[in-house]
Amino acid sequence: MKVYEFKAISINDIPAMADLLIHRQNVEGEVFPFLKNSCLNVKYTIHILEELFINNKMIGMGAFTNNELVGYIIGEIKIDTLRGRYAWVPYEGVAIRMDQSSELIRNLYARVSEAWLEQGCFMHYTIIPLGNQTYYDAYQRLSFFIQQVHAVMNIKDYKSFENVSDVEIRVANKMDSDMMGKMSSIIQSYHNVAPTFEPALPEVVSNIKAAYKSIVAENDEICLIAIKDTEELGFQYYCPITSDLMTPDNGVELSIAGTYHSQMGRGVGKKLMNEGYRIMKEKGYNSMITDWRMTNLASSTFWPKCGFKPVAYRMVRYIDSNIAWANFNNPSIKLL
């Protein structure tokens, strides 16, 4: 068994972290060529890691052999009203040297997770690359589960759907604000039921509706609406993106999309997709990105049919918070 020295990692380790990350991404680029983009260089990689440490509370662990960094995991300590306190490992937050195994990731997590629990973070999120099975294998064997799929479609590979609906597809305008507000319930309705079981809390529903209504006021973004007999049936919302290590150059994001359940299977989503493809191709985009919940049956079956291929997973592990007191280091437990 290899001997490692595990130490808390800091901003001073960024050059060595950047080297590991670039090597990881070069392997990813062999599987996903679009990831060999303008961001895959030392300057950008060091900058993005520095931004993580400067702007966030990062807690990480590094593995060293002969004083050389051979692997790391860094997580941001976050707090919000939806998840509470949690640790978030971004796409750039984990990398190991190519000659290391998935066991190193498991050992790194074993050590850094203790530090996250000391911060009150019992929910651990990580975004893992999929070009190298090592990362997925490690997290799966750490009892993480797939929550979100991040995918990319090469626009030139898109094959238009046939037998689509006869609905009208048009670009939304400012007069469609109320219509978009009504359709804000579509995604929630899929997430609230089996097998996703992801509730939309009443406290945030009004904010979601307001955000949907404001979509039509954005100048650089395109919202397509499917309409028949003056009734809205579904929509797709496209946003320009800035490339990073996980997204291709010259790409556009299919940020939000939905079709009323009553219209499923009638070709509404397919016609929206055909039109979205046509417009984005005319605008000169090379790639399209989107993401979806793995447990959303409609999304997880439709988007792959469109040609979206997973490039990363968001995986999650929930730690029983009782571990904060029900452990052998608690002197009161020893007295029982």
Side-chain angles (χ1 to χ4, degrees):
M1 180 178 177
K2 295 181 180 179
V3 177
Y4 301 103
E5 181 183 6
F6 292 96
K7 296 187 294 187
I9 207 158
S10 72
I11 195 169
N12 296 323
D13 298 302
I14 283 179
M17 294 169 64
D19 185 62
L20 291 177
L21 188 54
I22 288 173
H23 280 87
R24 189 198 81 178
Q25 287 305 102
N26 277 321
V27 173
E28 293 296 300
E30 295 300 319
V31 181
F32 307 112
F34 50 78
L35 291 183
K36 289 190 174 181
N37 61 15
S38 60
C39 297
L40 190 53
N41 58 75
V42 173
K43 182 178 179 180
Y44 176 86
T45 307
I46 287 178
H47 170 73
I48 200 69
L49 290 170
E50 286 177 341
E51 289 290 301
L52 286 173
F53 277 92
I54 292 170
N55 297 326
N56 309 286
K57 183 175 182 179
M58 306 298 297
I59 294 179
M61 188 66 62
F64 297 80
T65 58
N66 299 320
N67 293 319
E68 179 185 357
L69 182 69
V70 296
Y72 71 85
I73 294 178
I74 55 173
E76 178 187 353
I77 305 304
K78 288 189 161 192
I79 306 172
D80 63 40
T81 55
L82 179 62
R83 299 185 179 100
R85 297 180 66 87
Y86 60 99
W88 179 274
V89 179
Y91 185 70
E92 303 83 7
V94 56
I96 60 172
R97 202 169 68 185
M98 293 305 301
D99 61 349
Q100 303 298 305
S101 74
S102 61
E103 282 304 297
L104 177 56
I105 296 174
R106 282 162 38 96
N107 277 278
L108 280 165
Y109 174 77
R111 287 159 174 81
V112 76
S113 59
E114 290 184 319
W116 294 342
L117 261 62
E118 289 174 357
Q119 296 291 319
C121 298
F122 297 95
M123 298 172 66
H124 301 166
Y125 294 82
T126 185
I127 299 181
I128 64 159
L130 295 181
N132 184 342
Q133 183 72 17
T134 299
Y135 293 88
Y136 176 64
D137 175 66
Y139 279 101
Q140 189 178 49
R141 291 191 299 119
L142 284 166
S143 295
F144 278 74
F145 66 87
I146 303 169
Q147 184 181 65
Q148 199 84 355
V149 181
H150 296 267
V152 177
M153 177 181 71
N154 190 326
I155 286 181
K156 72 177 183 179
D157 295 335
Y158 181 75
K159 293 179 173 56
S160 296
F161 288 106
E162 299 179 354
N163 303 318
V164 298
S165 172
D166 61 353
V167 296
E168 173 195 358
I169 307 293
R170 66 171 175 81
V171 177
N173 56 56
K174 293 182 180 180
M175 300 297 292
D176 297 313
S177 177
D178 288 340
M179 185 180 292
M180 287 305 303
K182 288 171 62 179
M183 287 194 285
S184 67
S185 65
I186 292 177
I187 295 177
Q188 298 168 42
S189 67
Y190 287 107
H191 284 184
N192 281 0
V193 297
T196 306
F197 300 121
E198 190 73 28
L201 301 178
E203 294 83 355
V204 301
V205 167
S206 61
N207 293 334
I208 294 173
K209 184 174 183 179
Y212 270 69
K213 293 179 72 173
S214 69
I215 282 176
V216 294
E218 303 295 338
N219 295 326
D220 297 332
E221 299 159 6
I222 293 178
C223 183
L224 301 177
I225 301 179
I227 298 177
K228 187 171 185 179
D229 299 328
T230 72
E231 292 293 324
E232 78 285 350
L233 305 180
F235 72 97
Q236 288 187 353
Y237 177 50
Y238 293 86
C239 307
I241 61 172
T242 300
S243 62
D244 55 29
L245 291 179
M246 198 171 84
T247 59
D249 290 329
N250 195 31
V252 64
E253 181 178 11
L254 175 52
S255 180
I256 317 170
T259 302
Y260 283 118
H261 190 271
S262 62
Q263 302 301 315
M264 294 291 290
R266 300 184 180 185
V268 176
K270 292 178 179 179
K271 190 164 186 180
L272 279 164
M273 193 70 240
N274 284 353
E275 185 65 6
Y277 155 75
R278 183 189 67 80
I279 293 174
M280 298 308 139
K281 183 180 179 182
E282 286 182 357
K283 286 183 170 292
Y285 290 112
N286 294 331
S287 302
M288 191 181 296
I289 71 170
T290 196
D291 61 273
W292 63 85
R293 282 295 170 96
M294 177 64 85
T295 49
N296 184 332
L297 299 185
S299 294
S300 60
T301 55
F302 181 66
W303 298 123
K305 289 179 182 178
C306 295
F308 287 99
K309 293 179 172 56
V311 67
Y313 287 150
R314 183 172 84 210
M315 301 185 75
V316 187
R317 185 182 183 192
Y318 300 131
I319 308 297
D320 187 339
S321 60
N322 285 320
I323 197 65
W325 66 272
N327 61 73
F328 292 114
N329 292 324
N330 186 341
S332 65
I333 297 293
K334 293 178 181 180
L335 296 175
L336 295 179

